[in-house]
Each structure stands twice: as C-alpha cells, then as structure tokens.
C-alpha cells in the first residue's frame, strides 16, 4: 500500500507543476523563441521554477514507485495529474468545468482503478547494451526533431516529442529504480535519463507556449503511456495478474481516451484551463 500512496503523492506534485508551468509559459507567449532557448528564459520565472520543482518532486516519487510497480500503472497514475490540475484550477483559480469534462475525469479514474486491480509487483529486467543504445538513438532523434517542431505554429509536434522523451525517462528509470542510489551516477542510463528529461521539459515548454495546457499535457501523456507501457510489458518484464491481461488493455484504453478527450475539449475552447493565461 505504501507504493500506491507514493503514486498519489507523485500525481499531486505533478498537478502543481502543470498549473504553474502552463501559466508561466503562456505568460511568456509574447516573447520569441522555442526549445532550449525558451526553457532558459523561463528559468528566471519564479512561477515556472515552482512548477519545475513540482515536476521534479513528482518524478522522484514516481521513480521510487517504479522499483516495484509496473510502468503501465505508474505512468497512468502520473497522467491523472491533468485531472488533479483541472480540479485545482476549478477550486482555487476559478476555472470552469463542464459536465463532459467531469465525465472524462471519471473515465480517467475508472481506468486507474482497473489497472490497479490488474497490476502485479515486479522488479524490471535490466536493459541489454542494445537496449541502451536504442534509447540513446531515440533521445538523439528527439533532440534533432525539436528543431523543426519549434518553428511550427501548432503545439502538436512539440507535445508528441515531449511524450517520447518522457517515455525514455520512464523506461530508463524503471530499470534504474531497484539499484543502489550510490551506483546511479556511474550508470550510463542515469545520464541518458537526465538528457531525456531535459529534452522533455524543453519540448513541453515550447508546446505550452503554443496551445492550451490540457491539450498539450494530454497529448504528451498519451504518447508516454502507450510507449512506456508497451515497452515495460514487452521488454522489461512488467507483470500482470494472471488472466487480467484484457483488463490492463481496457484500463490503458480508458486512461488514454480520458487524457485525449480532455485535450480535445481544451482545443475546442471548452476546457477547464481556458482562463489560465494572465
């Protein structure tokens, strides 16, 4: 039960990060630039730094949860942060939420409950050298793809790239989580994970500058959930309770559909985060 409590705390911190970072990024919308340049400018914004601290805290807790919980559960639980961010905006900042959005949040919660019931604790299989090289190739390709993505007027390419980068972070951290903390600095996967995290943050900042926060986070989350969950089950040996494979598939479908529906609603101008820009 402790691992599940850690996941809940992780989602709360992620939600705080989403709200703070989205407001700060939109506030910088009248200043040109994207990618790492935008991230460097936002580093001087205290609100963005608060959001970044929330993201770091959420990641740290999720990292420890990955030591014994499968990726498909950890990633979907982390994706609930968008729902928590919406609830926070409604209660504290006065954002508006419609019935369809509330129903979407229920869909997210249902998916998480199904996945929690189907999950089985396990320690990840170590990645072979070929797997580490493949992850490094994905990080390099993501970094190169950020250049044209930063020049587009839409948030979609940058949001997808952010999801890809954070999927690498999830896969690498699942493998590293069971190791002694003192051994992490000497492991190449640690530095690869940090590089992917920086790329993910840079892509997220660029996407938040171009689109609604809910739509950006939904796109990135859906990308990360699918890529990380498939990799965890197929490569890392993530376990599922016997006979519950279809339930895992259904739970993943619920969560992915939920986050995407929130994104569609925001993109259509009816999302709960519509009033965030200052």
């Amino acid at each position: 039960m402790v691992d599940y409590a850690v996941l809940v705390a992780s989602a709360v911190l992620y939600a705080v990060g989403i709200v703070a970072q989205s407001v700060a990024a939109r506030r910088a919308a009248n200043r040109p630039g994207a990618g790492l340049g935008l991230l460097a400018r936002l580093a001087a914004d205290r609100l963005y730094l608060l959001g970044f601290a929330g993201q770091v805290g959420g990641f740290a807790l999720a990292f420890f949860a990955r030591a014994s919980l499968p990726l498909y559960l950890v990633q979907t639980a982390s994706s609930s942060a968008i729902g928590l961010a919406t609830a926070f905006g409604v209660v504290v900042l006065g954002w508006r939420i419609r019935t369809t959005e509330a129903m979407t949040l229920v869909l997210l919660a249902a998916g998480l409950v199904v996945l929690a019931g189907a999950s089985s604790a396990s320690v990840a299989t170590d990645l072979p050298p070929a797997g580490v090289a493949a992850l490094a190739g994905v990080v390099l390709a993501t970094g190169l793809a950020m250049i044209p993505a930063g020049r587009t007027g839409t948030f979609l390419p940058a949001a997808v790239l952010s999801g890809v980068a954070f999927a690498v972070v999830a896969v690498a951290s699942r493998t590293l989580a069971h190791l002694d903390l003192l051994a992490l600095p000497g492991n190449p996967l640690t530095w690869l994970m940090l590089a992917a995290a920086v790329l993910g943050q840079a892509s997220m900042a660029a996407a938040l500058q171009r689109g609604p926060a809910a739509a950006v986070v939904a796109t990135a989350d859906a990308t990360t959930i699918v890529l990380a969950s498939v990799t965890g089950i197929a490569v890392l040996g993530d376990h599922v309770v016997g006979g519950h494979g279809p339930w895992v598939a259904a739970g993943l479908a619920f969560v992915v559909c939920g986050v995407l529906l929130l994104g569609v609603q925001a993109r259509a101008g009816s999302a709960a985060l519509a009033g965030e820009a200052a």
Side-chain angles (χ1 to χ4, degrees):
M1 292 300 294
V2 173
D3 292 333
Y4 291 96
V6 170
L7 272 186
V8 171
S10 173
V12 170
L13 288 179
Y14 273 132
V16 171
I18 290 169
V19 173
Q21 285 185 316
S22 62
V23 174
R26 297 288 286 185
R27 196 161 62 186
N30 60 337
R31 302 177 62 184
L36 294 176
L38 172 62
L39 192 62
R41 289 200 309 276
L42 286 173
D45 189 317
R46 292 182 179 179
L47 184 60
Y48 184 83
L49 291 178
L50 173 63
F52 181 72
Q55 295 284 323
V56 171
F59 169 78
L61 293 180
F63 179 86
F64 290 116
R66 290 186 185 104
S68 58
L69 296 178
L71 271 181
Y72 61 81
L73 178 60
V74 177
Q75 293 311 124
T76 51
S78 296
S79 75
S80 69
I82 188 173
L84 293 176
T86 300
F88 179 84
V90 170
V91 174
V92 179
L93 302 180
W95 295 345
R96 292 170 296 180
I97 184 169
R98 303 194 313 173
T99 302
T100 53
E101 294 163 349
M103 293 175 64
T104 302
L105 296 181
V106 172
L107 181 64
L108 276 172
L112 290 171
V113 170
V114 169
L115 287 170
S119 65
S120 177
S122 62
V123 175
T125 303
D126 290 335
L127 279 176
V132 176
L135 286 183
V138 172
V139 171
L140 177 60
T142 301
L144 293 175
M146 281 180 59
I147 298 173
R151 297 170 182 164
T152 64
T154 177
F155 71 88
L156 189 59
V160 171
L161 289 174
S162 178
V164 173
F166 286 131
V168 173
V169 173
V171 171
S173 61
R174 170 73 166 132
T175 304
L176 293 168
H178 68 280
L179 301 179
D180 190 303
L181 291 178
L182 295 178
L184 296 183
N187 194 311
L189 262 182
T190 301
W191 302 103
L192 185 61
M193 178 182 67
L194 293 176
V198 171
L199 287 176
Q201 286 290 337
S203 295
M204 180 68 76
L208 286 170
Q209 194 179 37
R210 290 166 171 77
V216 170
V217 177
T219 302
D221 273 356
T223 303
T224 301
I225 290 169
V226 172
L227 294 179
S229 298
V230 170
T231 302
I233 294 173
V235 179
L236 301 181
D238 283 356
H239 292 176
V240 177
V241 174
H244 284 62
W247 287 104
V248 169
L252 287 173
F254 286 168
V255 173
V256 170
C257 288
V259 295
L260 289 179
L261 281 172
L262 283 178
V264 169
Q265 290 160 358
R267 205 158 56 231
S270 62
L273 304 183
E276 69 183 80

